[in-house]
Amino acid sequence: MKKIFVLLFIASGFWANANVKMPLVFSDGMVLQRNKPIPVWGWADANEKVQIQFNKQTKTIIADKNGKWMVKLDAEKAGGPFELTVSGNNKIVIKDVLVGEVWVCSGQSNMEFQMYKLPDFEVQKEQSNEPMIRQFLVAQDLSGTPKEDLKAGKWAVSDKENIKDFTAVGYFFAKKIYAELKIPIGIINTSWGGTCVETWTSRETFQKSDEFKDMIAGVPSVNMDAIFETYKKSLLGNIEKIQGFPVTEANQDQFKNPDFNDANWPEIKVPSLWENQQIGNIDGVVWMRKTITLTAEQVKKEAVLYLSKVDDEDQTYVNGVQVGTNNIWEAKRIYKIPAGVLKEGTNVIAVKITDYTGGGGIYGDPADLKIDFNGSAVALDGLWKFNVVNVKVSVSPNSYPSLLYNAMVNPLVPYAIQGVLWYQGEANVWRASQYKKAFPLMINDWRTKWNQGNFPFYFVQLSTFDEQGGNSKKGSRWAELREAQSETLKVLNTGMAVTTDIGNAKDIHPTNKKDVGLRLSAIALNNVYGKKQVCSGPTFKSQEIKGNQIILTFENIGSGLSTPNNTELKGFEIAGADKIFHSAKAIIKDNKIIVSSESVPDPVAVHYGWADDDTEINLFNKEKFPASPFRTDNWEMITAKEKYNVSK
């Protein structure tokens, strides 16, 4: 997940000159929300008279003693283009203003995922000339206190030039809504990869929460310089504790050599980003080494080193000889090993990894990590030695709560919107149980701050990703996070797009964003826009135990339960009082599901899709919406005691 970590400073809310100013979101090409009062605000001199003109409306306001002003334009019907004029000691004219539907798109990397990353981007680009669809891209920023305006951001029209930077999920959502309504659609894209829900939530809301008030009481409201120094001390201390020796670049030139003794280096799982392991959330330089043993026959053959992907830059050595380098974090590393470099017996692969921003390490498909000997191969996945030699200390959005709310959400409030689309949760899987409180808390926080009622809040349930090999036997954090998302549907006016069938167990960023956007649009079309349709897959309602069977009842079955091509149901497990789950036979009968197993004569509970990798599950309704994973027990899960805390 790519994230751009930056150092920031407290933004001043004081506007020293006399000119009327407005937030960046009010700019050429903007889309205003139809059929609702339209807040318009900005800054001027204290007590300055400000006049706002839009379409046939004129409003006048006197700036307060701090120079702040706000009016609410009367609700407008969809249309445009118009001009918005704001006059005080100076005059601002905002051109090409449309009125239509406005949705905030937020979350982490799967919402941030830009159109240019799609496999069929060139095709999509040719179809992107949609002048009524526009995106406002919020620049990534952090702040220790709420900011009044954004660091940067501008509105862009959907066309061949601009489409590359649109959020893919948001774009496909907007395109479908536009196709149905034929009115302007604006999406405000405020997202940042790898971020937890707590950084998107305001301090005030934490202070009022029984779950989080003790946590936030221990987090001072400090400027980013103070946060930086605290974080630097904590980060270096943690790394040195993990690896058992200081972080230093001394003698690192020796690390590529095959005779260097790395016996005291700790080990890490490869392939996997180190953010998901003991190294944690750092940028900097890490050496990684792998020792393998080869036969005389193998070293005679041509050899190619496959190193999967390296985030961000690698310098790769085999027995001290550099065989390749690359600085494209998404590119697969494939390096030919020159003749004579490999030898019979012990061989050492050493990789110097420089991580500039975000995720770091060797990642990707284990099958892409090997030395290939013209058809035969030696696998390189598993444990590698590592040594952190340099840490580029910068503040992560996850370092403290509220950093992204302060910088990337608060400046947008109270811009009139229809609702929010949210795709996030990957960064919270380690404390999935607490997400049942943290996520609804954030939703209610945004609704309170916007003060526009319980506006629609639609989110994406995490798809399959085999991060830790989690399952019913040893527990699955990803399944628990999906459960937390499902339970969030209890919050008024929410909706969830299930994506179990369109993920990729080997890629945390599945590329099918079109179906994600379409599933979110189906919810909106049904709930908001009066286009009644089935917009959800089956959701578990209740179970009934009859002898050695459990009968499951579902809601949202549409015109009936089904599987693709009437194949056998997969993904169901059943357990007795011993809490040991066994793969189960499941059949559809009268739109209910009967689950049983010869290994469980007295069943008490069922799991469906309870795994990090839930690829095989295949329960749908006939409208082809997948069922959400679920469990029927209430037994304690592996994240039950994990709590959010801030390192100080």
Side-chain angles (χ1 to χ4, degrees), residues 274-293:
W274 59 54
E275 274 75 2
N276 301 328
Q277 302 186 72
Q278 67 266 47
I279 292 178
N281 198 358
I282 71 160
D283 303 320
V285 179
V286 179
W287 279 84
M288 301 179 72
R289 287 169 53 99
K290 179 77 169 179
T291 301
I292 60 173
T293 302

Side-chain angles (χ1 to χ4, degrees), residues 232-248 266 274 277-283 285-286 386-391:
K232 178 180 178 180
K233 182 178 180 181
S234 171
L235 194 64
L236 289 173
N238 286 340
I239 292 297
E240 292 182 356
K241 182 178 179 181
I242 288 167
Q243 64 184 23
F245 46 82
V247 174
T248 175
W274 59 54
Q277 302 186 72
Q278 67 266 47
I279 292 178
N281 198 358
I282 71 160
D283 303 320
V285 179
V286 179
F386 75 88
N387 184 342
V388 181
V389 300
N390 176 276
V391 175

